[in-house]
Amino acid sequence: MNNTQPMRALITGITGQDGSYLTELLLEKGYEVHGLVRRSSTFNTDRIDHLYVDPHTPGARLKLHFADLTDASRLVTLIDTIQPHEVYNLAAQSHVRVSFDEPEYTGDTTGLGTIRLLEAIRAAGSDARFYQASSSEMFGATPPPQNEETPFYPRSPYGAAKVYSYWITKNYREAYGVFASNGILFNHESPRRGDTFVTRKITRAVARIAAGQQSELFMGNLDAVRDWGYAPEYVEAMWRMLQHDEPDDFVVATGTSYTVRDFLELSFGHVGLDYRDYVRFDERYLRPTEVDALIGDFGKAQDRLGWTPKVLTPRLAQIMVEADQAALEVEGSRYVDAVQTA
Ligand code: NAP
Ligand code: G4F
């Protein structure tokens, strides 16, 4: 990078949890950041509003573009006009339970969206480095610990779509020499996590119950084991993958394991409550096929990228509960459990 020509990154999924943290990281590093935003009738840019400045402002380095991963020609135009040095493909229909309700749409975005973007890079003759947001859901039924050599056995339309994207990323690396890397990220959370993922659903409920605004929390399978890390640390690993001397695939995880029940205990315990007094079972939150246990071995990322996790699950639960309590004080009650199956 030099003073006149900043590095340019294109982020799909910039309005999501990871997209927002990655944008902060890249702007801090001096990048010009281009983000792909879906047009919607209400604004969907809450997570990046604090970073946005009017594009007419001299030196503005965050630029947003309307586009969709289902629109191949738009992706070609964007790659061609932006000429990014790095492309981070974070966009996806990312909810596992929802993928059973919307399997075809999930395949179209989470799976085929990746080939559309890779083809756009190829068609534009771009030498951009490419990051694919692969997932520990690809391991599915294969027991832990899981690393880069572990066979995939997806258990949902989402997991199957991510397996397709993983392999097509590898194929473009081998077939066309694209610098294309897969980050196989285990669950990572934050106060910006979507409301219907289990950690955030729990910490929002804890804040509301502690404030006397809610009396019950309906949940599904409490026995599932997950390896929950902290999202701001995980986007650092994404960036490091594209600075590495060669494209490769890396597991990013904490190597620790907790059940959903453990996360309930930690979160309710933080406000001095016993989760058993509030949590009720609702089968609508079960999945037709479940991923029982995910625990990642991040040794390769540690050795080759110098990446290690610092925030582990107990501290993560505390960060999220405190953030939801603070948010509740500011905004009052806006939580509506509208999407009943998520
Ligand atoms: P997220 O919060 O659900 O964000 C998903 C992003 O994708 C949003 O910006 C969303 O836009 C966008 N998007 C969805 N469909 C799209 C489409 N058709 N065209 C363009 N954009 C579309 O997800 P996240 O937690 O940040 O995760 C980022 C990526 O990592 C995802 O690919 C996810 O599958 C993967 N991943 C996540 C985890 C995790 O634990 N968080 C672990 C492994 C892998 P809207 O804001 O308009 O909805
Ligand atoms: O928070 P979750 O919905 O995340 P899940 O299914 O593990 O997927 C997340 O992590 C993946 C990486 O492994 C990502 F690729 C994916 O995009 C997403 O970010 O559910 C976690 C566990 C599941 O076993 C689920 O059955 O929590 C269990 N659970 C129990 N009750 C619940 C609930 N999950 C949700 N969302 N809501 C419940 O009421």
Side-chain angles (χ1 to χ4, degrees), residues 48 102 114 117 124 156 258 262 277 284 293:
I48 52 169
E102 298 189 33
T114 308
L117 192 53
S156 65
Y258 292 85
D262 293 333
D277 294 333
R284 76 179 57 159

Side-chain angles (χ1 to χ4, degrees), residues 161-213:
K162 283 290 185 187
V163 169
Y164 173 80
S165 285
Y166 169 92
W167 279 110
I168 206 66
T169 297
K170 230 171 146 90
N171 179 249
Y172 271 53
R173 183 197 306 164
E174 293 167 359
Y176 304 116
V178 178
F179 189 113
S181 294
N182 283 290
I184 308 174
L185 272 53
F186 283 61
N187 300 53
H188 47 281
E189 321 290 314
S190 74
R192 296 185 199 166
R193 187 56 145 147
D195 297 346
T196 59
F197 294 94
V198 78
T199 54
R200 190 76 199 290
K201 177 171 169 175
I202 291 169
T203 62
R204 287 198 70 143
V206 165
R208 284 174 49 80
I209 288 169
Q213 294 181 5

Side-chain angles (χ1 to χ4, degrees), residues 260-281:
V260 173
R261 186 177 284 101
D262 293 333
F263 199 91
L264 281 165
E265 204 169 326
L266 287 164
S267 304
F268 277 83
H270 188 64
V271 296
L273 297 175
D274 185 334
Y275 79 90
R276 288 169 296 191
D277 294 333
Y278 304 94
V279 172
R280 310 279 175 261
F281 174 70

Side-chain angles (χ1 to χ4, degrees), residues 3 72 107 161 208 300 304 340:
N3 288 337
R208 284 174 49 80
K300 183 176 172 184
R304 306 205 191 158
Q340 294 291 330

Side-chain angles (χ1 to χ4, degrees), residues 17 92-97 133-138 158 162 185-189 193 196-202 217-228 260 282 285-287 290-292 294 341-342:
Q17 171 189 255
Q93 191 301 95
S94 71
H95 202 287
V96 173
R97 179 65 190 85
S134 287
S135 167
S136 50
E137 274 291 308
M138 300 187 304
Y158 169 83
K162 283 290 185 187
L185 272 53
F186 283 61
N187 300 53
H188 47 281
E189 321 290 314
R193 187 56 145 147
T196 59
F197 294 94
V198 78
T199 54
R200 190 76 199 290
K201 177 171 169 175
I202 291 169
L217 172 61
F218 289 93
M219 304 280 307
N221 174 21
L222 305 189
D223 295 322
V225 171
R226 288 292 182 274
D227 175 341
W228 283 293
V260 173
D282 187 335
Y285 297 116
L286 297 178
R287 287 122 196 238
E290 174 66 288
V291 171
D292 293 328
L294 294 172
T341 58

